[in-house]
Amino acid sequence: MIKIIYPTKSRLYPAFGEADTKRNIVYIRKDLPRVVKSFIREHELYHLKDKSKNWIWREIKSNFYGLIKHPLGFIVAVIMSLQPYRIKLYIQRIKEKI
Amino acid sequence: MRNYEPKPLFLERMSALLGSEINSYLEILKKFPVNSIRCNTLKISPDKLLNRLKSKNWVVEQPFKDAPEVMIIRGKIAKKNAVNNKDKLSDDKFGVETYNKNSSGWAGEQFRETKLKNSQREELRIGEEVISLGPGEIGRSLEHLLGYYYVQEIASMLPVLALKPRPGELVLDIAAAPGSKTTQIAAAMKNTGTIIANDVNLKRLKILASNMERCGVVNSIITRRDGIALCKRLKDAGFLFDKILVDAPCSGEGTLRSSPITYQMWNIHTIKSLSKLQKGILASALEILKIGGEIVYSTCTHAPEENEEVVDFMLKNFDNIKIESISLPIKCRPGINKWLDSSYDKNVEKSCRIYPQDNDTEGFFIAKLRKTK
């Protein structure tokens, strides 16, 4: 069974959501707009079933899946991610994963 | 080359404080400080963080059993041949100066010495070695960005360990920026109760706010006021605090290992003027403390004018306070009773002096006062 938890911003900041693949739990930030929450939910749920090893490929796939399900949520999430702290997070993730 | 010479008066004063130990003190000042971090228990447990850091090949040590959130990063495991060139390149690229153990100062030729326990050495496989982390690597990691840990010197964690804030309390941090101790207080209070985090410098307050956001602190109010003015305003508004942390602005003699430039900035006039300011802040803080409440006064300096003299001033001028003993997980020396021509209250001995050579940390001074009536 998959569990979806909506923690406060302080628990997940600067991330929007997180997928715990071992325990089948999806965390989504409570403070996000509803459309973004829907997009993040689909995005993280896709992570739970996705077994591919390459991190970037995994992210592309789950973003695409979320985009199909909630296009507006995807657009708002992209706009919300144009903030320095989010960009910094992406750069750091890419650096560490490569 | 990063070679700062201590001023003669500074040496004279430190010799008067330490006696024959002055050489070991000066020797440890030349060494690079250890990389210590504090696990942010608001976001992750120490065990989980330890596993994450170990999966990145970092060599992590938890020096205190009672405080598992305190961690020391000794370096990272890397394959022998690949490492040296890579590390040298990154050091050259960033122009980093590392400590040369064969010379008397700072040099850019050798790598930092990495001390390891025997048990950690045994964990290494053939063809692997432990190297020091690259410049700023601890502060740039994903875990740091996610607020899983705070880069903080061990000695700087001690005032909050002495304060022992509990969930639900009302706590004032008078000189809060950049937020190491405030985030530590918030973690100890489990994000409950209220912390008023004050600082006078706007630039530093921005760093404080960003650190609090990164660490997920939600029980704090940030104010920008001069410490004495803030206490007066809070008193007029009828606030009374359970605990107050006065991590006072100081001459920074204890931070010489991490910022040797303090050698150049050091002068006796600053110490004297800071001493007056510290007395003013501490006396103002006492007025907004509940009966039975506690104040922890701390500085990162060794100068008795900024330490024992301030505590002595409080004990002599206020009959409603008493100094409490502090138990800390590292070696502490008692406060001094006599300094040059001055003699201080005998109870000042209950305060705590931390010297770099005793624990391989920075220098600190901590005293805990309780309001009795």
Side-chain angles (χ1 to χ4, degrees), chain A residues 8-15 18 20 23 27 85-90 92-93 95-97, chain B residues 41-43 48 52 56 140-143 145-148 191 210 213-218:
Chain A
T8 53
K9 178 185 174 185
S10 64
R11 299 288 292 188
L12 285 180
Y13 175 95
E18 202 177 291
D20 186 341
R23 296 191 295 162
Y27 299 93
Y85 76 91
R86 292 283 302 171
I87 294 167
K88 210 171 157 188
L89 176 72
Y90 288 130
Q92 196 53 42
R93 275 219 163 121
K95 265 188 191 171
E96 292 206 357
K97 298 286 177 183
Chain B
T41 50
L42 291 176
K43 283 202 168 178
K48 278 187 185 168
R52 273 189 84 126
K56 287 159 72 96
R140 280 201 316 267
S141 80
L142 186 62
E143 285 74 15
L145 205 63
L146 290 167
Y148 290 169
N191 250 345
S210 115
E213 192 162 36
R214 183 175 61 82
C215 292
V217 176
V218 293

mmCIF file of all heavy atoms in Angstrom, chain A residues 8-15 18 20 23 27 85-90 92-93 95-97, chain B residues 41-43 48 52 56 140-143 145-148 191 210 213-218:
data_model
loop_
_atom_site.group_PDB
_atom_site.id
_atom_site.type_symbol
_atom_site.label_atom_id
_atom_site.label_comp_id
_atom_site.label_asym_id
_atom_site.label_seq_id
_atom_site.Cartn_x
_atom_site.Cartn_y
_atom_site.Cartn_z
ATOM 1 N N THR A 8 4.860 19.712 6.587
ATOM 2 C CA THR A 8 4.987 21.175 6.459
ATOM 3 C C THR A 8 6.209 21.511 5.609
ATOM 4 O O THR A 8 7.096 20.680 5.413
ATOM 5 C CB THR A 8 5.163 21.827 7.840
ATOM 6 O OG1 THR A 8 6.257 21.172 8.482
ATOM 7 C CG2 THR A 8 3.924 21.708 8.686
ATOM 8 N N LYS A 9 6.244 22.739 5.165
ATOM 9 C CA LYS A 9 7.341 23.216 4.319
ATOM 10 C C LYS A 9 8.702 22.973 4.988
ATOM 11 O O LYS A 9 9.667 22.565 4.347
ATOM 12 C CB LYS A 9 7.140 24.713 4.065
ATOM 13 C CG LYS A 9 8.229 25.362 3.236
ATOM 14 C CD LYS A 9 8.010 26.860 3.152
ATOM 15 C CE LYS A 9 9.181 27.519 2.447
ATOM 16 N NZ LYS A 9 9.081 28.981 2.437
ATOM 17 N N SER A 10 8.722 23.231 6.302
ATOM 18 C CA SER A 10 10.001 23.148 7.008
ATOM 19 C C SER A 10 10.618 21.749 6.958
ATOM 20 O O SER A 10 11.823 21.598 7.050
ATOM 21 C CB SER A 10 9.824 23.582 8.453
ATOM 22 O OG SER A 10 8.961 22.696 9.115
ATOM 23 N N ARG A 11 9.792 20.717 6.810
ATOM 24 C CA ARG A 11 10.328 19.353 6.810
ATOM 25 C C ARG A 11 11.034 19.024 5.494
ATOM 26 O O ARG A 11 11.965 18.209 5.467
ATOM 27 C CB ARG A 11 9.214 18.307 7.030
ATOM 28 C CG ARG A 11 8.496 18.434 8.336
ATOM 29 C CD ARG A 11 9.313 18.020 9.505
ATOM 30 N NE ARG A 11 9.600 16.589 9.537
ATOM 31 C CZ ARG A 11 10.177 15.981 10.556
ATOM 32 N NH1 ARG A 11 10.526 16.677 11.613
ATOM 33 N NH2 ARG A 11 10.412 14.701 10.523
ATOM 34 N N LEU A 12 10.561 19.597 4.392
ATOM 35 C CA LEU A 12 11.094 19.204 3.084
ATOM 36 C C LEU A 12 11.900 20.287 2.361
ATOM 37 O O LEU A 12 12.629 19.970 1.431
ATOM 38 C CB LEU A 12 9.951 18.752 2.162
ATOM 39 C CG LEU A 12 9.342 17.393 2.436
ATOM 40 C CD1 LEU A 12 8.246 17.114 1.433
ATOM 41 C CD2 LEU A 12 10.373 16.271 2.347
ATOM 42 N N TYR A 13 11.729 21.522 2.767
ATOM 43 C CA TYR A 13 12.421 22.615 2.104
ATOM 44 C C TYR A 13 13.898 22.274 1.929
ATOM 45 O O TYR A 13 14.497 21.762 2.866
ATOM 46 C CB TYR A 13 12.271 23.891 2.949
ATOM 47 C CG TYR A 13 13.034 25.090 2.448
ATOM 48 C CD1 TYR A 13 12.430 26.030 1.644
ATOM 49 C CD2 TYR A 13 14.382 25.268 2.775
ATOM 50 C CE1 TYR A 13 13.138 27.121 1.181
ATOM 51 C CE2 TYR A 13 15.090 26.357 2.309
ATOM 52 C CZ TYR A 13 14.463 27.279 1.514
ATOM 53 O OH TYR A 13 15.169 28.356 1.046
ATOM 54 N N PRO A 14 14.544 22.496 0.809
ATOM 55 C CA PRO A 14 14.068 23.195 -0.387
ATOM 56 C C PRO A 14 13.383 22.286 -1.409
ATOM 57 O O PRO A 14 13.038 22.743 -2.485
ATOM 58 C CB PRO A 14 15.357 23.770 -0.951
ATOM 59 C CG PRO A 14 16.429 22.829 -0.532
ATOM 60 C CD PRO A 14 15.997 22.226 0.762
ATOM 61 N N ALA A 15 13.183 21.000 -1.088
ATOM 62 C CA ALA A 15 12.544 20.101 -2.051
ATOM 63 C C ALA A 15 11.020 20.302 -2.031
ATOM 64 O O ALA A 15 10.471 20.802 -1.050
ATOM 65 C CB ALA A 15 12.885 18.660 -1.699
ATOM 66 N N GLU A 18 9.205 14.096 -1.989
ATOM 67 C CA GLU A 18 10.223 13.053 -1.825
ATOM 68 C C GLU A 18 9.531 11.694 -1.888
ATOM 69 O O GLU A 18 8.403 11.552 -1.408
ATOM 70 C CB GLU A 18 10.901 13.245 -0.469
ATOM 71 C CG GLU A 18 12.276 12.604 -0.397
ATOM 72 C CD GLU A 18 12.939 12.874 0.944
ATOM 73 O OE1 GLU A 18 13.302 14.029 1.202
ATOM 74 O OE2 GLU A 18 13.059 11.918 1.730
ATOM 75 N N ASP A 20 9.928 7.754 -0.792
ATOM 76 C CA ASP A 20 10.673 6.749 -0.031
ATOM 77 C C ASP A 20 10.337 5.387 -0.652
ATOM 78 O O ASP A 20 9.309 4.778 -0.332
ATOM 79 C CB ASP A 20 10.244 6.821 1.443
ATOM 80 C CG ASP A 20 11.075 5.915 2.332
ATOM 81 O OD1 ASP A 20 11.716 4.996 1.774
ATOM 82 O OD2 ASP A 20 11.098 6.136 3.548
ATOM 83 N N ARG A 23 9.894 2.204 1.753
ATOM 84 C CA ARG A 23 8.692 2.085 2.579
ATOM 85 C C ARG A 23 7.402 2.442 1.834
ATOM 86 O O ARG A 23 6.338 2.521 2.453
ATOM 87 C CB ARG A 23 8.846 2.954 3.836
ATOM 88 C CG ARG A 23 9.987 2.470 4.733
ATOM 89 C CD ARG A 23 9.960 3.141 6.070
ATOM 90 N NE ARG A 23 10.210 4.584 5.946
ATOM 91 C CZ ARG A 23 9.918 5.464 6.888
ATOM 92 N NH1 ARG A 23 9.352 5.075 8.004
ATOM 93 N NH2 ARG A 23 10.197 6.747 6.717
ATOM 94 N N TYR A 27 6.131 11.868 0.101
ATOM 95 C CA TYR A 27 5.983 13.090 0.902
ATOM 96 C C TYR A 27 5.782 14.264 -0.052
ATOM 97 O O TYR A 27 6.554 14.418 -1.009
ATOM 98 C CB TYR A 27 7.235 13.341 1.733
ATOM 99 C CG TYR A 27 7.548 12.248 2.729
ATOM 100 C CD1 TYR A 27 8.401 11.206 2.397
ATOM 101 C CD2 TYR A 27 7.006 12.279 4.010
ATOM 102 C CE1 TYR A 27 8.698 10.199 3.300
ATOM 103 C CE2 TYR A 27 7.298 11.288 4.933
ATOM 104 C CZ TYR A 27 8.148 10.246 4.571
ATOM 105 O OH TYR A 27 8.437 9.260 5.480
ATOM 106 N N TYR A 85 17.207 29.194 -4.617
ATOM 107 C CA TYR A 85 17.431 28.023 -3.768
ATOM 108 C C TYR A 85 17.104 26.723 -4.496
ATOM 109 O O TYR A 85 17.708 25.678 -4.249
ATOM 110 C CB TYR A 85 16.670 28.144 -2.432
ATOM 111 C CG TYR A 85 15.182 27.892 -2.486
ATOM 112 C CD1 TYR A 85 14.669 26.617 -2.279
ATOM 113 C CD2 TYR A 85 14.284 28.917 -2.714
ATOM 114 C CE1 TYR A 85 13.308 26.371 -2.316
ATOM 115 C CE2 TYR A 85 12.923 28.691 -2.751
ATOM 116 C CZ TYR A 85 12.438 27.412 -2.554
ATOM 117 O OH TYR A 85 11.092 27.173 -2.583
ATOM 118 N N ARG A 86 16.119 26.769 -5.426
ATOM 119 C CA ARG A 86 15.760 25.569 -6.193
ATOM 120 C C ARG A 86 16.835 25.272 -7.236
ATOM 121 O O ARG A 86 17.244 24.130 -7.417
ATOM 122 C CB ARG A 86 14.409 25.782 -6.898
ATOM 123 C CG ARG A 86 13.223 25.866 -5.971
ATOM 124 C CD ARG A 86 12.776 24.527 -5.457
ATOM 125 N NE ARG A 86 12.418 23.606 -6.525
ATOM 126 C CZ ARG A 86 12.168 22.313 -6.319
ATOM 127 N NH1 ARG A 86 12.254 21.819 -5.107
ATOM 128 N NH2 ARG A 86 11.855 21.528 -7.307
ATOM 129 N N ILE A 87 17.287 26.338 -7.898
ATOM 130 C CA ILE A 87 18.320 26.152 -8.928
ATOM 131 C C ILE A 87 19.582 25.576 -8.290
ATOM 132 O O ILE A 87 20.219 24.663 -8.813
ATOM 133 C CB ILE A 87 18.587 27.490 -9.668
ATOM 134 C CG1 ILE A 87 17.322 27.879 -10.447
ATOM 135 C CG2 ILE A 87 19.774 27.383 -10.618
ATOM 136 C CD1 ILE A 87 17.292 29.293 -10.975
ATOM 137 N N LYS A 88 19.903 26.107 -7.109
ATOM 138 C CA LYS A 88 21.076 25.621 -6.374
ATOM 139 C C LYS A 88 20.929 24.121 -6.071
ATOM 140 O O LYS A 88 21.874 23.351 -6.193
ATOM 141 C CB LYS A 88 21.179 26.404 -5.061
ATOM 142 C CG LYS A 88 22.579 26.595 -4.544
ATOM 143 C CD LYS A 88 22.507 27.565 -3.384
ATOM 144 C CE LYS A 88 23.687 27.391 -2.474
ATOM 145 N NZ LYS A 88 23.562 28.174 -1.252
ATOM 146 N N LEU A 89 19.706 23.748 -5.689
ATOM 147 C CA LEU A 89 19.441 22.340 -5.367
ATOM 148 C C LEU A 89 19.640 21.451 -6.599
ATOM 149 O O LEU A 89 20.265 20.392 -6.516
ATOM 150 C CB LEU A 89 18.014 22.210 -4.831
ATOM 151 C CG LEU A 89 17.519 20.795 -4.517
ATOM 152 C CD1 LEU A 89 18.204 20.256 -3.264
ATOM 153 C CD2 LEU A 89 16.014 20.775 -4.291
ATOM 154 N N TYR A 90 19.115 21.906 -7.745
ATOM 155 C CA TYR A 90 19.276 21.118 -8.979
ATOM 156 C C TYR A 90 20.753 20.968 -9.330
ATOM 157 O O TYR A 90 21.227 19.871 -9.639
ATOM 158 C CB TYR A 90 18.541 21.786 -10.147
ATOM 159 C CG TYR A 90 17.042 21.694 -10.057
ATOM 160 C CD1 TYR A 90 16.241 22.813 -10.201
ATOM 161 C CD2 TYR A 90 16.420 20.472 -9.827
ATOM 162 C CE1 TYR A 90 14.863 22.738 -10.118
ATOM 163 C CE2 TYR A 90 15.036 20.386 -9.741
ATOM 164 C CZ TYR A 90 14.265 21.519 -9.881
ATOM 165 O OH TYR A 90 12.916 21.432 -9.786
ATOM 166 N N GLN A 92 23.325 21.151 -7.457
ATOM 167 C CA GLN A 92 24.020 20.273 -6.512
ATOM 168 C C GLN A 92 23.686 18.804 -6.760
ATOM 169 O O GLN A 92 24.559 17.951 -6.739
ATOM 170 C CB GLN A 92 23.618 20.671 -5.081
ATOM 171 C CG GLN A 92 24.510 20.121 -4.018
ATOM 172 C CD GLN A 92 25.959 20.429 -4.275
ATOM 173 O OE1 GLN A 92 26.312 21.527 -4.673
ATOM 174 N NE2 GLN A 92 26.818 19.438 -4.098
ATOM 175 N N ARG A 93 22.403 18.533 -7.052
ATOM 176 C CA ARG A 93 21.967 17.149 -7.311
ATOM 177 C C ARG A 93 22.683 16.615 -8.543
ATOM 178 O O ARG A 93 23.201 15.499 -8.527
ATOM 179 C CB ARG A 93 20.464 17.104 -7.554
ATOM 180 C CG ARG A 93 19.692 17.012 -6.282
ATOM 181 C CD ARG A 93 18.495 16.081 -6.397
ATOM 182 N NE ARG A 93 18.052 15.731 -5.062
ATOM 183 C CZ ARG A 93 16.829 15.969 -4.594
ATOM 184 N NH1 ARG A 93 15.929 16.516 -5.361
ATOM 185 N NH2 ARG A 93 16.511 15.619 -3.369
ATOM 186 N N LYS A 95 25.461 17.629 -9.866
ATOM 187 C CA LYS A 95 26.894 17.473 -9.569
ATOM 188 C C LYS A 95 27.164 16.166 -8.838
ATOM 189 O O LYS A 95 28.126 15.455 -9.110
ATOM 190 C CB LYS A 95 27.354 18.630 -8.676
ATOM 191 C CG LYS A 95 27.962 19.782 -9.431
ATOM 192 C CD LYS A 95 28.518 20.722 -8.396
ATOM 193 C CE LYS A 95 28.925 22.040 -8.982
ATOM 194 N NZ LYS A 95 29.263 23.001 -7.929
ATOM 195 N N GLU A 96 26.307 15.874 -7.842
ATOM 196 C CA GLU A 96 26.540 14.685 -7.024
ATOM 197 C C GLU A 96 26.199 13.396 -7.741
ATOM 198 O O GLU A 96 26.760 12.351 -7.454
ATOM 199 C CB GLU A 96 25.769 14.785 -5.709
ATOM 200 C CG GLU A 96 26.340 15.867 -4.832
ATOM 201 C CD GLU A 96 26.088 15.641 -3.362
ATOM 202 O OE1 GLU A 96 25.423 14.667 -3.009
ATOM 203 O OE2 GLU A 96 26.574 16.464 -2.571
ATOM 204 N N LYS A 97 25.230 13.473 -8.655
ATOM 205 C CA LYS A 97 24.809 12.240 -9.323
ATOM 206 C C LYS A 97 25.715 11.885 -10.501
ATOM 207 O O LYS A 97 25.782 10.733 -10.909
ATOM 208 C CB LYS A 97 23.353 12.367 -9.816
ATOM 209 C CG LYS A 97 22.345 12.574 -8.699
ATOM 210 C CD LYS A 97 22.088 11.324 -7.892
ATOM 211 C CE LYS A 97 21.137 11.617 -6.747
ATOM 212 N NZ LYS A 97 20.890 10.479 -5.886
ATOM 213 N N THR B 41 18.367 17.577 13.915
ATOM 214 C CA THR B 41 17.383 16.541 14.268
ATOM 215 C C THR B 41 15.952 16.945 13.918
ATOM 216 O O THR B 41 15.041 16.131 14.039
ATOM 217 C CB THR B 41 17.487 16.192 15.762
ATOM 218 O OG1 THR B 41 17.471 17.420 16.495
ATOM 219 C CG2 THR B 41 18.749 15.442 16.091
ATOM 220 N N LEU B 42 15.767 18.182 13.471
ATOM 221 C CA LEU B 42 14.429 18.590 13.022
ATOM 222 C C LEU B 42 14.105 17.941 11.681
ATOM 223 O O LEU B 42 12.958 17.811 11.304
ATOM 224 C CB LEU B 42 14.362 20.111 12.857
ATOM 225 C CG LEU B 42 14.432 20.952 14.119
ATOM 226 C CD1 LEU B 42 14.453 22.414 13.770
ATOM 227 C CD2 LEU B 42 13.258 20.652 15.031
ATOM 228 N N LYS B 43 15.152 17.543 10.949
ATOM 229 C CA LYS B 43 14.922 16.989 9.616
ATOM 230 C C LYS B 43 15.351 15.533 9.463
ATOM 231 O O LYS B 43 14.820 14.814 8.632
ATOM 232 C CB LYS B 43 15.673 17.845 8.585
ATOM 233 C CG LYS B 43 14.977 19.144 8.271
ATOM 234 C CD LYS B 43 15.399 19.682 6.936
ATOM 235 C CE LYS B 43 14.487 20.816 6.502
ATOM 236 N NZ LYS B 43 14.907 21.391 5.222
ATOM 237 N N LYS B 48 20.489 8.112 10.501
ATOM 238 C CA LYS B 48 20.219 8.212 9.059
ATOM 239 C C LYS B 48 21.244 9.103 8.377
ATOM 240 O O LYS B 48 21.710 8.795 7.280
ATOM 241 C CB LYS B 48 18.808 8.767 8.819
ATOM 242 C CG LYS B 48 17.722 7.722 8.928
ATOM 243 C CD LYS B 48 16.391 8.306 8.510
ATOM 244 C CE LYS B 48 15.284 7.288 8.735
ATOM 245 N NZ LYS B 48 13.959 7.899 8.604
ATOM 246 N N ARG B 52 23.912 8.192 5.375
ATOM 247 C CA ARG B 52 23.982 8.963 4.121
ATOM 248 C C ARG B 52 25.403 9.451 3.864
ATOM 249 O O ARG B 52 25.896 9.383 2.744
ATOM 250 C CB ARG B 52 23.045 10.171 4.197
ATOM 251 C CG ARG B 52 21.631 9.880 3.784
ATOM 252 C CD ARG B 52 20.846 11.164 3.688
ATOM 253 N NE ARG B 52 21.051 11.800 2.395
ATOM 254 C CZ ARG B 52 20.071 12.156 1.578
ATOM 255 N NH1 ARG B 52 18.826 11.931 1.897
ATOM 256 N NH2 ARG B 52 20.325 12.752 0.427
ATOM 257 N N LYS B 56 28.538 8.339 0.999
ATOM 258 C CA LYS B 56 29.307 9.249 0.144
ATOM 259 C C LYS B 56 30.810 9.062 0.346
ATOM 260 O O LYS B 56 31.614 9.896 -0.075
ATOM 261 C CB LYS B 56 28.971 10.702 0.516
ATOM 262 C CG LYS B 56 27.613 11.181 0.081
ATOM 263 C CD LYS B 56 27.174 12.384 0.913
ATOM 264 C CE LYS B 56 27.944 13.633 0.571
ATOM 265 N NZ LYS B 56 27.253 14.487 -0.401
ATOM 266 N N ARG B 140 28.900 22.458 0.567
ATOM 267 C CA ARG B 140 28.253 22.395 -0.745
ATOM 268 C C ARG B 140 27.465 21.112 -0.964
ATOM 269 O O ARG B 140 26.835 20.943 -2.005
ATOM 270 C CB ARG B 140 29.323 22.481 -1.843
ATOM 271 C CG ARG B 140 29.827 23.874 -2.154
ATOM 272 C CD ARG B 140 30.441 23.889 -3.542
ATOM 273 N NE ARG B 140 31.274 22.741 -3.780
ATOM 274 C CZ ARG B 140 32.580 22.689 -3.582
ATOM 275 N NH1 ARG B 140 33.196 23.747 -3.128
ATOM 276 N NH2 ARG B 140 33.277 21.605 -3.818
ATOM 277 N N SER B 141 27.527 20.203 -0.013
ATOM 278 C CA SER B 141 26.903 18.898 -0.247
ATOM 279 C C SER B 141 25.377 19.016 -0.262
ATOM 280 O O SER B 141 24.800 19.970 0.272
ATOM 281 C CB SER B 141 27.329 17.908 0.837
ATOM 282 O OG SER B 141 26.558 18.132 1.974
ATOM 283 N N LEU B 142 24.773 18.028 -0.871
ATOM 284 C CA LEU B 142 23.309 18.022 -0.984
ATOM 285 C C LEU B 142 22.654 17.978 0.400
ATOM 286 O O LEU B 142 21.644 18.640 0.654
ATOM 287 C CB LEU B 142 22.886 16.799 -1.812
ATOM 288 C CG LEU B 142 21.427 16.688 -2.159
ATOM 289 C CD1 LEU B 142 20.987 17.856 -3.019
ATOM 290 C CD2 LEU B 142 21.145 15.385 -2.893
ATOM 291 N N GLU B 143 23.252 17.198 1.291
ATOM 292 C CA GLU B 143 22.697 17.056 2.651
ATOM 293 C C GLU B 143 22.698 18.404 3.377
ATOM 294 O O GLU B 143 21.782 18.699 4.142
ATOM 295 C CB GLU B 143 23.509 16.031 3.462
ATOM 296 C CG GLU B 143 23.266 14.589 3.088
ATOM 297 C CD GLU B 143 23.896 14.200 1.763
ATOM 298 O OE1 GLU B 143 24.758 14.952 1.275
ATOM 299 O OE2 GLU B 143 23.520 13.166 1.202
ATOM 300 N N LEU B 145 22.555 21.350 1.875
ATOM 301 C CA LEU B 145 21.538 22.162 1.200
ATOM 302 C C LEU B 145 20.127 21.791 1.669
ATOM 303 O O LEU B 145 19.252 22.638 1.787
ATOM 304 C CB LEU B 145 21.669 21.937 -0.308
ATOM 305 C CG LEU B 145 21.182 23.040 -1.218
ATOM 306 C CD1 LEU B 145 21.990 24.297 -0.989
ATOM 307 C CD2 LEU B 145 21.303 22.613 -2.676
ATOM 308 N N LEU B 146 19.941 20.509 1.967
ATOM 309 C CA LEU B 146 18.633 20.048 2.426
ATOM 310 C C LEU B 146 18.414 20.317 3.916
ATOM 311 O O LEU B 146 17.369 19.995 4.467
ATOM 312 C CB LEU B 146 18.479 18.541 2.152
ATOM 313 C CG LEU B 146 18.352 18.142 0.670
ATOM 314 C CD1 LEU B 146 18.533 16.650 0.504
ATOM 315 C CD2 LEU B 146 17.028 18.579 0.090
ATOM 316 N N GLY B 147 19.416 20.861 4.546
ATOM 317 C CA GLY B 147 19.297 21.218 5.967
ATOM 318 C C GLY B 147 19.449 20.036 6.906
ATOM 319 O O GLY B 147 18.971 20.081 8.038
ATOM 320 N N TYR B 148 20.116 18.972 6.440
ATOM 321 C CA TYR B 148 20.289 17.803 7.306
ATOM 322 C C TYR B 148 21.379 18.029 8.363
ATOM 323 O O TYR B 148 21.392 17.363 9.379
ATOM 324 C CB TYR B 148 20.636 16.565 6.478
ATOM 325 C CG TYR B 148 19.489 16.052 5.635
ATOM 326 C CD1 TYR B 148 19.678 15.086 4.665
ATOM 327 C CD2 TYR B 148 18.202 16.548 5.810
ATOM 328 C CE1 TYR B 148 18.622 14.619 3.889
ATOM 329 C CE2 TYR B 148 17.148 16.100 5.044
ATOM 330 C CZ TYR B 148 17.365 15.140 4.084
ATOM 331 O OH TYR B 148 16.325 14.697 3.327
ATOM 332 N N ASN B 191 11.154 22.294 17.743
ATOM 333 C CA ASN B 191 10.333 23.264 17.012
ATOM 334 C C ASN B 191 9.062 23.677 17.766
ATOM 335 O O ASN B 191 8.078 24.091 17.157
ATOM 336 C CB ASN B 191 9.954 22.715 15.631
ATOM 337 C CG ASN B 191 10.681 23.471 14.529
ATOM 338 O OD1 ASN B 191 11.219 24.539 14.766
ATOM 339 N ND2 ASN B 191 10.681 22.923 13.337
ATOM 340 N N SER B 210 18.098 32.696 6.270
ATOM 341 C CA SER B 210 18.264 31.624 5.279
ATOM 342 C C SER B 210 18.663 30.307 5.959
ATOM 343 O O SER B 210 18.193 29.240 5.570
ATOM 344 C CB SER B 210 19.259 32.067 4.204
ATOM 345 O OG SER B 210 20.401 31.300 4.210
ATOM 346 N N GLU B 213 15.551 28.834 7.566
ATOM 347 C CA GLU B 213 14.657 28.249 6.558
ATOM 348 C C GLU B 213 15.220 26.903 6.093
ATOM 349 O O GLU B 213 14.504 25.915 5.977
ATOM 350 C CB GLU B 213 14.519 29.203 5.375
ATOM 351 C CG GLU B 213 13.393 28.804 4.440
ATOM 352 C CD GLU B 213 12.962 29.925 3.533
ATOM 353 O OE1 GLU B 213 13.829 30.703 3.105
ATOM 354 O OE2 GLU B 213 11.759 30.001 3.236
ATOM 355 N N ARG B 214 16.518 26.874 5.853
ATOM 356 C CA ARG B 214 17.165 25.637 5.400
ATOM 357 C C ARG B 214 17.027 24.521 6.435
ATOM 358 O O ARG B 214 16.798 23.356 6.088
ATOM 359 C CB ARG B 214 18.659 25.916 5.122
ATOM 360 C CG ARG B 214 19.440 24.758 4.572
ATOM 361 C CD ARG B 214 20.854 25.181 4.236
ATOM 362 N NE ARG B 214 21.599 25.656 5.399
ATOM 363 C CZ ARG B 214 22.195 24.871 6.271
ATOM 364 N NH1 ARG B 214 22.166 23.575 6.118
ATOM 365 N NH2 ARG B 214 22.826 25.370 7.312
ATOM 366 N N CYS B 215 17.144 24.897 7.693
ATOM 367 C CA CYS B 215 17.091 23.891 8.757
ATOM 368 C C CYS B 215 15.662 23.587 9.211
ATOM 369 O O CYS B 215 15.462 22.757 10.089
ATOM 370 C CB CYS B 215 17.926 24.340 9.957
ATOM 371 S SG CYS B 215 19.670 24.375 9.594
ATOM 372 N N GLY B 216 14.688 24.250 8.641
ATOM 373 C CA GLY B 216 13.291 23.953 8.974
ATOM 374 C C GLY B 216 12.873 24.448 10.342
ATOM 375 O O GLY B 216 12.028 23.827 10.995
ATOM 376 N N VAL B 217 13.437 25.582 10.772
ATOM 377 C CA VAL B 217 13.063 26.140 12.082
ATOM 378 C C VAL B 217 11.794 26.983 11.912
ATOM 379 O O VAL B 217 11.764 27.884 11.074
ATOM 380 C CB VAL B 217 14.213 27.009 12.647
ATOM 381 C CG1 VAL B 217 13.804 27.674 13.943
ATOM 382 C CG2 VAL B 217 15.455 26.168 12.844
ATOM 383 N N VAL B 218 10.757 26.673 12.669
ATOM 384 C CA VAL B 218 9.500 27.410 12.526
ATOM 385 C C VAL B 218 9.017 28.046 13.835
ATOM 386 O O VAL B 218 7.969 28.670 13.855
ATOM 387 C CB VAL B 218 8.382 26.505 11.967
ATOM 388 C CG1 VAL B 218 8.665 26.104 10.539
ATOM 389 C CG2 VAL B 218 8.164 25.279 12.832
#
